[in-house]
Amino acid sequence: MKTSSIALLVLLFHTILSLSATFATPTSFHENFLQCLSLHSDPSIPIYSPNSSSYESILQFSVRNRRFSTPTTPKPELIITALDESHVQAAVICSRKHGLHLITRSGGHDYEGLSYVSDVPFVIVDLLNLQSISVDAKKGTAWVQAGATIGQLYHNIAVKSRTYGFPAGICPTVGIGGHFGGGGYGALLRKYGLAADNIVDARLVNVDGKILDRKSMGEDLFWAIRGGGGASFGIVLSYKINLVHVPPVVTVFTFNKNLEEGATALVERWQYVADKLPQDLFLTILINVVNSTQRGERTVQASFRALFLGVVDKLIPIMEQRFPELGLTHDNCTEMSWIQSVLYFAGFPINSSSDVLVDRTPANYLVTASFKAKSDYVTEPISQTGLEGIWKMLLEENIPGLIFSPYGGRMSEISESAIPFPHRVGNIYDIHYSVAWIEKGLKASKEHIGWIRRLYRYVTPYVSKFPRSAYLNYRDLDLGQSKNGTASYSEAKEWGIKYFKNNFDRLVKVKSKVDPDNFFRNEQSIPTIPSWGKKN
Ligand SMILES: Cc1cc2nc3c(=O)[nH]c(=O)nc-3n(C[C@H](O)[C@H](O)[C@H](O)COP(=O)(O)OP(=O)(O)OC[C@H]3O[C@@H](n4cnc5c(N)ncnc54)[C@H](O)[C@@H]3O)c2cc1C
Ligand SMILES: *[C@@H]1O[C@H](CO)[C@@H](O)[C@H](O)[C@H]1NC(C)=O
Ligand SMILES: *[C@@H]1O[C@H](CO)[C@@H](O)[C@H](O)[C@H]1NC(C)=O
Ligand SMILES: *[C@@H]1O[C@H](CO)[C@@H](O)[C@H](O)[C@H]1NC(C)=O
Ligand SMILES: *[C@@H]1O[C@H](CO)[C@@H](O)[C@H](O)[C@H]1NC(C)=O
Ligand SMILES: *[C@@H]1O[C@H](CO)[C@@H](O)[C@H](O)[C@H]1NC(C)=O
């Protein structure tokens, strides 16, 4: 990738030079921009225009939702695949100077494609080449560049140590840049909180193109980029994290029950148990529609999946005491190392080498399918009648999915204002709703999105209210958006209060101070109020 992009670049500059030689007229804005880039960085900065032969493959490489790779999807005017920090600085300085809308992409998993799609003309700075990770096993810390994936991070930790892990997401191709900036959680959530709770330093390019670390950016901005979404505040180059302790042996199980086997009662019961279990036990539920072997027709299946930070002999008595209804036995459980549990949850054979986690090639469905997702927080258990209504709606769709992720434990100990992510004590679990489809075209898209919106309406009485909260990393433009990223305070509050609750105002203050002209923006970014930026 490196050499070919340099070759292209040379070609591009050659074209530009010959163009300007031919027409000694005022140069195009592209040209000015490119000249600016060459002035502020070195000639190796890789830039792809739609004319470059690899533009399309670079653009598509990190698209993780086919809904945003259609013939009508807006495309970037240029893509800059930064090879070092100075390239990111140059991208900011020159985009600002020439009035270009710059958006940042790390892993490209944004649910609404906001890292590679915009309604106004735009340029992408793609961090996929900034993926170095340095683990200090002695100190129990690591620096990780924003363009790395969480799978790469897990692999690098495991290579250095069997007793360290990190509490981030399940899917290994998710990017550090977006994931950490929005919170980030997985099977270690109840023991150690979010990825963002474990960040101790960061390097960020601000609106002036300067690189700041925790000390030079100050605690307000450092607070904002740990859960407030990096995209409103700058471009995060790397994070320093504290690794967390994991035991040499952990236990996992997957326990499937469909409706005919009493899934509804088990799911209902789980709501009274899951957030109160010991912190070492994470018991989540995936709910899907499957073909029932018993009845030969489609049915809803609840898949109970657990990670226990300990041996099976310790787990069984806990389950017998807290959740005997599940009927878990030794035979249902497997002991393994923590890194094997990462492979297990990601769907790899547990005896694979953790090298598979380094591969950025996404799971097939992330390439071939379109999807739409939404989220909710549950503070009171949903009744069996309520659950049955949800199942009925799931059976109307081809590829629906729900994930119930239990909170409690460490999540309840961290204050709502510690970082911008506010969903702490009082939440039993969050719901992730999704629908995927293979058919192309607007009609299919409308139908499936219509279905998930109906489901979201149906669930209203059962979930959090005032605000009906949502998780930023499960981005949902249905909650509100501004076409050009210039929402007023009251418009942005529509979604801001759902993602951030009482932390929204503090985010607006930080934003107003560090980026008063709203250079860093997207359809759901934090707005500015000029007078708020001046106050301290
Ligand atoms: C298959 C799949 C599985 C997932 N599993 C989980 C999970 O287990 N747990 C969980 O918590 N979430 C999960 N998510 C959601 C995921 O955390 C978010 O989509 C996250 O934002 C993705 O980060 P990214 O770098 O891949 O995304 P991108 O699309 O690159 O970025 C997302 C947003 O962050 C901005 N951004 C990206 N990099 C930077 C940067 N360096 N500086 C500033 N702004 C930046 C982008 O502009 C965009 O607005 C999953 C998503 C998918 C698609
Ligand atoms: C791409 O090619 C078109 C003509 O084919 C030209 O007008 C345009 O300037 C080129 N763009 C860049 C960025 O080179
Ligand atoms: C759990 O193990 C028992 C044997 O002890 C087995 O009969 C049962 O099918 C298993 N259940 C699941 C859901 O895997
Ligand atoms: C269920 O059965 C249908 C029809 O036989 C088939 O098309 C579909 O792929 C099956 N689904 C699953 C999840 O196995
Ligand atoms: C993994 O390897 C171990 C040790 O070689 C073996 O005992 C175990 O059965 C293997 N597990 C699977 C699922 O293949
Ligand atoms: C952004 O969009 C709003 C509403 O569509 C419009 O009023 C405003 O002028 C636009 N601002 C810019 C900078 O394009």
Side-chain angles (χ1 to χ4, degrees):
M1 158 98 74
K2 238 179 184 170
T3 30
S4 67
S5 56
I6 291 165
L8 258 163
L9 175 90
V10 171
L11 199 73
L12 193 68
F13 269 94
H14 182 78
T15 316
I16 286 150
L17 288 179
S18 54
L19 271 177
S20 29
T22 321
F23 315 98
T25 48
T27 48
S28 75
F29 96 103
H30 267 153
E31 247 176 274
N32 289 330
F33 179 68
L34 293 168
Q35 273 164 4
C36 176
L37 285 178
S38 66
L39 213 72
H40 285 90
S41 70
D42 57 88
S44 74
I45 183 169
I47 306 156
Y48 301 88
S49 77
N51 295 359
S52 323
S53 60
S54 42
Y55 167 89
E56 196 59 31
S57 64
I58 297 225
L59 175 63
Q60 297 304 325
F61 185 77
S62 297
V63 170
R64 294 291 174 268
N65 188 344
R66 219 193 47 203
R67 186 152 63 97
F68 306 110
S69 59
T70 72
T72 55
T73 305
K75 301 245 173 102
E77 302 194 19
L78 294 169
I79 307 172
I80 300 168
T81 57
L83 296 174
D84 62 45
E85 295 184 333
S86 71
H87 294 166
V88 181
Q89 293 178 279
V92 170
I93 291 167
C94 299
S95 300
R96 193 168 168 216
K97 183 166 176 207
H98 293 285
L100 294 182
H101 180 41
L102 182 69
I103 59 183
T104 308
R105 181 161 77 171
S106 288
H109 287 63
D110 193 278
Y111 281 6
E112 301 281 9
L114 296 197
S115 56
Y116 55 90
V117 182
S118 181
D119 287 316
V120 293
F122 64 104
V123 170
I124 295 177
V125 58
D126 193 325
L127 306 186
L128 89 164
N129 291 318
L130 300 183
Q131 42 176 270
S132 80
I133 296 169
S134 62
V135 173
D136 186 336
K138 269 209 192 100
K139 294 208 178 94
T141 59
W143 272 103
V144 51
Q145 283 193 303
T149 64
I150 56 175
Q152 292 170 335
L153 174 62
Y154 297 150
H155 167 76
N156 274 265
I157 295 171
V159 165
K160 286 272 178 85
S161 156
R162 274 181 71 85
T163 53
Y164 279 123
F166 193 70
I170 308 274
C171 168
T173 56
V174 165
I176 299 286
H179 190 62
F180 285 23
Y185 72 83
L188 294 174
L189 171 84
R190 303 192 63 254
K191 177 80 173 180
Y192 293 114
L194 310 167
D197 292 325
N198 295 279
I199 296 172
V200 292
D201 204 341
R203 287 170 65 78
L204 163 130
V205 175
N206 77 358
V207 68
D208 299 319
K210 293 211 177 81
I211 296 180
L212 306 177
D213 65 3
R214 178 175 184 167
K215 201 164 164 228
S216 51
M217 78 177 76
E219 287 303 302
D220 275 342
L221 179 52
F222 182 61
W223 173 85
I225 58 170
R226 288 174 294 155
S232 299
F233 303 98
I235 300 181
V236 177
L237 297 167
S238 55
Y239 292 101
K240 185 183 184 186
I241 53 174
N242 274 337
L243 305 178
V244 302
H245 290 285
V246 291
V249 178
V250 306
T251 303
V252 305
F253 68 79
T254 296
F255 204 95
N256 297 333
K257 289 281 179 183
N258 63 28
L259 292 188
E260 295 70 40
E261 297 163 333
T264 309
L266 286 174
V267 173
E268 196 227 9
R269 182 73 199 132
W270 172 90
Q271 301 173 96
Y272 292 89
V273 173
D275 65 315
K276 298 175 193 71
L277 290 168
Q279 301 197 358
D280 287 335
L281 180 52
F282 176 82
L283 176 55
T284 179
I285 314 178
L286 272 58
I287 298 165
N288 295 294
V289 170
V290 299
N291 292 334
S292 157
T293 42
Q294 289 103 322
R295 302 209 312 184
E297 58 186 61
R298 297 170 86 236
T299 186
V300 172
Q301 181 182 74
S303 181
F304 293 83
R305 297 192 185 178
L307 172 69
F308 177 62
L309 298 171
V311 296
V312 64
D313 285 340
K314 286 236 170 84
L315 171 62
I316 298 293
I318 295 172
M319 290 298 289
E320 277 170 353
Q321 194 201 348
R322 305 292 192 98
F323 200 7
E325 297 85 351
L326 202 58
L328 189 78
T329 69
H330 266 79
D331 290 349
N332 305 126
C333 301
T334 314
E335 290 183 342
M336 56 184 68
S337 66
W338 172 75
I339 194 68
Q340 284 182 305
S341 79
V342 169
L343 294 167
Y344 178 84
F345 280 101
F348 292 106
I350 60 161
N351 281 344
S352 324
S353 151
S354 68
D355 286 350
V356 295
L357 297 172
V358 172
D359 192 350
R360 294 180 86 105
T361 315
N364 195 36
Y365 69 92
L366 288 175
V367 179
T368 54
S370 298
F371 72 88
K372 167 76 190 160
K374 303 174 84 69
S375 66
D376 259 321
Y377 281 87
V378 179
T379 56
E380 303 284 341
I382 302 176
S383 64
Q384 285 211 28
T385 319
L387 293 173
E388 279 158 2
I390 298 177
W391 308 160
K392 194 167 156 245
M393 291 198 67
L394 294 181
L395 288 164
E396 293 168 8
E397 255 296 339
N398 281 334
I399 321 175
L402 302 180
I403 305 171
F404 291 3
S405 300
Y407 280 50
R410 181 79 188 119
M411 287 299 278
S412 297
E413 297 168 357
I414 299 172
S415 100
E416 284 194 359
S417 59
I419 63 170
F421 178 102
H423 316 294
R424 306 286 186 171
V425 69
N427 292 294
I428 305 175
Y429 61 103
D430 77 28
I431 304 181
H432 176 277
Y433 312 88
S434 66
V435 59
W437 62 96
I438 308 295
E439 314 94 275
K440 292 188 177 166
L442 217 57
K443 185 164 167 281
S445 186
K446 270 200 173 131
E447 275 171 24
H448 297 292
I449 293 174
W451 174 82
I452 203 168
R453 287 177 180 157
R454 283 199 302 284
L455 176 63
Y456 190 74
R457 266 200 302 280
Y458 167 80
V459 181
T460 308
Y462 302 105
V463 295
S464 67
K465 295 173 187 66
F466 317 115
R468 181 172 185 178
S469 351
Y471 174 33
L472 179 67
N473 267 344
Y474 296 159
R475 189 184 312 276
D476 179 3
L477 290 183
D478 292 351
L479 303 180
Q481 61 171 304
S482 71
K483 284 279 174 212
N484 49 23
T486 57
S488 68
Y489 172 81
S490 59
E491 285 164 342
K493 199 164 180 167
E494 288 280 317
W495 63 83
I497 208 87
K498 291 167 189 277
Y499 289 141
F500 308 115
K501 295 192 184 171
N502 292 331
N503 295 326
F504 178 65
D505 280 1
R506 184 170 172 196
L507 286 169
V508 177
K509 273 183 204 145
V510 178
K511 168 74 176 178
S512 305
K513 204 153 130 191
V514 305
D515 183 21
D517 298 331
N518 198 22
F519 173 71
F520 292 112
R521 64 188 188 276
N522 64 32
E523 285 67 7
Q524 271 190 348
S525 56
I526 304 291
T528 55
I529 298 183
S531 61
W532 285 24
K534 296 190 187 96
K535 276 184 263 166
N536 260 319

